[in-house]
Short mmCIF file of all heavy atoms in Angstrom, two decimals:
data_model
loop_
_atom_site.label_atom_id
_atom_site.label_comp_id
_atom_site.label_asym_id
_atom_site.label_seq_id
_atom_site.Cartn_x
_atom_site.Cartn_y
_atom_site.Cartn_z
N PHE A 14 -9.01 3.80 -4.63
CA PHE A 14 -9.97 3.39 -5.66
C PHE A 14 -9.48 3.70 -7.08
O PHE A 14 -10.18 3.47 -8.06
CB PHE A 14 -11.33 4.07 -5.42
CG PHE A 14 -11.86 3.78 -4.04
CD1 PHE A 14 -11.82 4.75 -3.05
CD2 PHE A 14 -12.37 2.53 -3.74
CE1 PHE A 14 -12.28 4.47 -1.76
CE2 PHE A 14 -12.83 2.24 -2.46
CZ PHE A 14 -12.79 3.22 -1.47
N ASP A 44 -10.04 -5.83 -9.31
CA ASP A 44 -11.35 -5.21 -9.53
C ASP A 44 -11.73 -4.28 -8.38
O ASP A 44 -12.38 -3.27 -8.58
CB ASP A 44 -12.43 -6.29 -9.66
CG ASP A 44 -12.29 -7.03 -10.98
OD1 ASP A 44 -11.69 -6.46 -11.91
OD2 ASP A 44 -12.77 -8.17 -11.08
N THR A 45 -11.33 -4.65 -7.18
CA THR A 45 -11.67 -3.87 -5.99
C THR A 45 -10.38 -3.65 -5.19
O THR A 45 -9.40 -4.36 -5.40
CB THR A 45 -12.69 -4.62 -5.12
OG1 THR A 45 -12.16 -5.92 -4.82
CG2 THR A 45 -14.03 -4.77 -5.83
N PRO A 46 -10.38 -2.67 -4.28
CA PRO A 46 -9.15 -2.40 -3.52
C PRO A 46 -8.67 -3.63 -2.74
O PRO A 46 -9.48 -4.39 -2.21
CB PRO A 46 -9.56 -1.28 -2.56
CG PRO A 46 -10.73 -0.63 -3.19
CD PRO A 46 -11.45 -1.73 -3.93
N GLN A 47 -7.38 -3.82 -2.71
CA GLN A 47 -6.77 -4.89 -1.91
C GLN A 47 -5.95 -4.24 -0.81
O GLN A 47 -5.47 -3.12 -0.97
CB GLN A 47 -5.81 -5.72 -2.78
CG GLN A 47 -6.42 -6.27 -4.04
CD GLN A 47 -7.42 -7.38 -3.75
OE1 GLN A 47 -7.13 -8.32 -3.03
NE2 GLN A 47 -8.62 -7.24 -4.29
N MET A 76 -11.46 -4.67 9.64
CA MET A 76 -11.04 -5.17 8.33
C MET A 76 -12.04 -6.21 7.81
O MET A 76 -12.40 -6.19 6.63
CB MET A 76 -9.65 -5.80 8.43
CG MET A 76 -8.53 -4.81 8.64
SD MET A 76 -8.21 -3.80 7.18
CE MET A 76 -7.28 -4.95 6.14
N ASP A 77 -12.47 -7.11 8.68
CA ASP A 77 -13.45 -8.14 8.28
C ASP A 77 -14.73 -7.47 7.82
O ASP A 77 -15.33 -7.86 6.82
CB ASP A 77 -13.76 -9.09 9.45
CG ASP A 77 -12.58 -10.01 9.75
OD1 ASP A 77 -11.65 -10.08 8.92
OD2 ASP A 77 -12.59 -10.66 10.82
N HIS A 78 -15.15 -6.44 8.57
CA HIS A 78 -16.39 -5.73 8.22
C HIS A 78 -16.23 -5.04 6.86
O HIS A 78 -17.11 -5.13 6.01
CB HIS A 78 -16.71 -4.71 9.32
CG HIS A 78 -17.98 -3.98 9.07
ND1 HIS A 78 -19.21 -4.57 9.18
CD2 HIS A 78 -18.20 -2.70 8.66
CE1 HIS A 78 -20.15 -3.69 8.85
NE2 HIS A 78 -19.56 -2.55 8.54
N ALA A 79 -15.10 -4.37 6.65
CA ALA A 79 -14.87 -3.67 5.38
C ALA A 79 -14.76 -4.66 4.23
O ALA A 79 -15.14 -4.36 3.10
CB ALA A 79 -13.59 -2.82 5.48
N TYR A 80 -14.26 -5.86 4.54
CA TYR A 80 -14.09 -6.86 3.49
C TYR A 80 -15.44 -7.32 2.95
O TYR A 80 -15.54 -7.74 1.80
CB TYR A 80 -13.27 -8.05 3.98
CG TYR A 80 -12.94 -9.01 2.88
CD1 TYR A 80 -12.05 -8.65 1.87
CD2 TYR A 80 -13.56 -10.26 2.80
CE1 TYR A 80 -11.77 -9.51 0.83
CE2 TYR A 80 -13.28 -11.13 1.76
CZ TYR A 80 -12.38 -10.75 0.78
OH TYR A 80 -12.11 -11.59 -0.27
N GLU A 81 -16.49 -7.23 3.80
CA GLU A 81 -17.83 -7.61 3.35
C GLU A 81 -18.25 -6.79 2.13
O GLU A 81 -19.01 -7.26 1.30
CB GLU A 81 -18.86 -7.44 4.48
CG GLU A 81 -18.73 -8.53 5.54
CD GLU A 81 -19.52 -8.20 6.80
OE1 GLU A 81 -20.43 -7.35 6.73
OE2 GLU A 81 -19.20 -8.80 7.85
N SER A 82 -17.77 -5.57 2.03
CA SER A 82 -18.04 -4.74 0.84
C SER A 82 -16.87 -4.79 -0.14
O SER A 82 -16.75 -3.93 -1.00
CB SER A 82 -18.31 -3.30 1.27
OG SER A 82 -17.08 -2.68 1.68
N HIS A 83 -16.00 -5.79 0.01
CA HIS A 83 -14.79 -5.93 -0.82
C HIS A 83 -13.96 -4.64 -0.76
O HIS A 83 -13.40 -4.21 -1.78
CB HIS A 83 -15.14 -6.30 -2.26
CG HIS A 83 -15.86 -7.61 -2.34
ND1 HIS A 83 -15.21 -8.81 -2.23
CD2 HIS A 83 -17.18 -7.90 -2.46
CE1 HIS A 83 -16.09 -9.79 -2.30
NE2 HIS A 83 -17.30 -9.28 -2.43
N PHE A 84 -13.91 -4.04 0.40
CA PHE A 84 -13.13 -2.82 0.65
C PHE A 84 -13.57 -1.64 -0.22
O PHE A 84 -12.80 -0.71 -0.44
CB PHE A 84 -11.63 -3.08 0.45
CG PHE A 84 -11.03 -4.05 1.44
CD1 PHE A 84 -10.15 -5.05 1.04
CD2 PHE A 84 -11.33 -3.96 2.80
CE1 PHE A 84 -9.59 -5.95 1.94
CE2 PHE A 84 -10.78 -4.86 3.72
CZ PHE A 84 -9.92 -5.85 3.28
N MET A 85 -14.82 -1.68 -0.71
CA MET A 85 -15.32 -0.52 -1.46
C MET A 85 -15.71 0.58 -0.48
O MET A 85 -15.84 1.74 -0.84
CB MET A 85 -16.51 -0.90 -2.34
CG MET A 85 -16.11 -1.79 -3.52
SD MET A 85 -14.78 -1.10 -4.54
CE MET A 85 -15.66 0.19 -5.42
N SER A 86 -15.97 0.20 0.76
CA SER A 86 -16.25 1.18 1.82
C SER A 86 -15.24 0.94 2.93
O SER A 86 -15.20 -0.13 3.53
CB SER A 86 -17.68 0.98 2.34
OG SER A 86 -17.82 1.68 3.54
N LEU A 87 -14.40 1.94 3.16
CA LEU A 87 -13.29 1.76 4.11
C LEU A 87 -13.48 2.54 5.41
O LEU A 87 -12.64 2.50 6.29
CB LEU A 87 -11.97 2.19 3.44
CG LEU A 87 -11.51 1.32 2.26
CD1 LEU A 87 -10.35 1.98 1.54
CD2 LEU A 87 -11.13 -0.07 2.72
N PHE A 111 -4.40 0.63 0.81
CA PHE A 111 -5.34 -0.09 -0.02
C PHE A 111 -5.15 0.42 -1.45
O PHE A 111 -4.94 1.62 -1.65
CB PHE A 111 -6.78 0.18 0.41
CG PHE A 111 -7.12 -0.46 1.73
CD1 PHE A 111 -6.81 0.17 2.93
CD2 PHE A 111 -7.75 -1.69 1.77
CE1 PHE A 111 -7.11 -0.42 4.15
CE2 PHE A 111 -8.06 -2.29 2.98
CZ PHE A 111 -7.74 -1.66 4.18
N CYS A 113 -6.09 -0.58 -5.95
CA CYS A 113 -6.65 -1.43 -7.01
C CYS A 113 -5.57 -1.89 -7.99
O CYS A 113 -5.86 -2.67 -8.88
CB CYS A 113 -7.73 -0.70 -7.78
SG CYS A 113 -9.24 -0.46 -6.84
#
Side-chain angles (χ1 to χ4, degrees):
F14 304 105
D44 289 338
T45 54
Q47 306 289 309
M76 289 290 282
D77 289 347
H78 182 72
Y80 187 69
E81 286 168 19
S82 73
H83 299 283
F84 295 136
M85 290 307 285
S86 166
L87 294 170
F111 290 84
C113 289

